[in-house]
Each structure stands twice: as C-alpha cells, then as structure tokens.
Amino acid sequence: MNKLFDILFLDEAFDFLSTLEKKHYEKILYNIRKAQTRLDIELFKKLQDEIWEFRTQYNGIHYRLFAFWDKTYGENCLVISTHGIIKKTNKVPDSELKKAKHLRLRYFEEIETKNNKKK
C-alpha cells in the first residue's frame, strides 16, 4: 500500500512515547502506520489552524500525538509529530495547542536557518 505521508518525530514526541508501557506505544505506532495509508479522522484529525492529532485509545486511555504538515519539498509530504499527551477531558487543552504551534514555528525556523547556511 502507498503511504500518504512520511512521519518525523520531534524529541518531545519520542520523550512522551518513551514514558509509556510497551504495548501502549506499540498501539500508537500501529495506528500511525494505519493513518499513513488511509484518511481516517478516527486516527488522524485536524484540530486547529495547522495542528493535527494522531488519535489512539488503548485500555480506556486516550492518547494524542500532535502534529503538522511539512510540504516544503513538494510531492514528499512529511508529517511532523511534535509531542504527546494522555487526554483526560473532551476538549484539547489550549496549552497543548500552543505548545504544538510553538514547536511547529521552531521547526520551520530551524529549516530556514539550515537552508540559509547552505547558500
């Protein structure tokens, strides 16, 4: 099956995953792989502005990995996972959306800095 996008995990996303039990992060990664092959809002959903979330429920726990798209390189779509949370309420906390937006801004600033150094 063709992938719709590749994924890159920022350090904050890896840090979150490393705190989870093995079966829990394996389920999250399984759902991410499924989301890469088909559009399904139960797995990958737009939240606000440019911020999306990978969604996993496992053993009654709701996990969210925040993400955004990087289409800088044209056809090769890349989704960047910023960080994760265990969701405890129906509403996504504003602080987590702000954090995802901040990490998105930092990511693109670093890309621009690297590109300017190459010139």
Side-chain angles (χ1 to χ4, degrees), residues 21-115:
E21 293 178 33
K22 184 178 181 186
K23 287 195 179 273
H24 293 246
Y25 75 74
E26 285 176 345
K27 177 65 174 183
I28 292 169
L29 295 177
Y30 172 79
N31 280 351
I32 289 172
R33 284 191 296 274
K34 280 176 44 177
Q36 285 179 295
T37 61
R38 66 175 187 232
L39 296 175
D40 182 345
I41 64 168
E42 294 300 316
L43 299 173
F44 190 50
K45 178 181 175 185
K46 185 172 185 177
L47 290 176
Q48 184 183 91
D49 300 324
E50 301 296 324
I51 305 303
W52 292 65
E53 68 178 353
F54 288 105
R55 304 158 52 99
T56 298
Q57 180 179 347
Y58 185 70
N59 282 351
I61 302 172
H62 297 268
Y63 295 102
R64 299 295 187 261
L65 280 177
F66 298 95
F68 61 88
W69 292 85
D70 178 356
K71 298 179 184 176
T72 305
Y73 304 105
E75 292 181 20
N76 296 333
C77 288
L78 183 62
V79 171
I80 312 300
S81 178
T82 60
H83 70 290
I85 64 168
I86 295 174
K87 190 172 174 198
K88 297 180 180 177
T89 64
N90 287 337
K91 187 174 186 260
V92 175
D94 288 337
S95 61
E96 299 301 335
L97 289 170
K98 286 179 185 176
K99 181 176 182 176
K101 290 176 183 178
H102 171 75
L103 291 169
R104 178 183 180 275
L105 181 63
R106 187 178 79 190
Y107 169 84
F108 283 114
E109 286 172 349
E110 289 175 4
I111 294 291
E112 187 175 328
T113 300
K114 287 178 186 176
N115 288 339

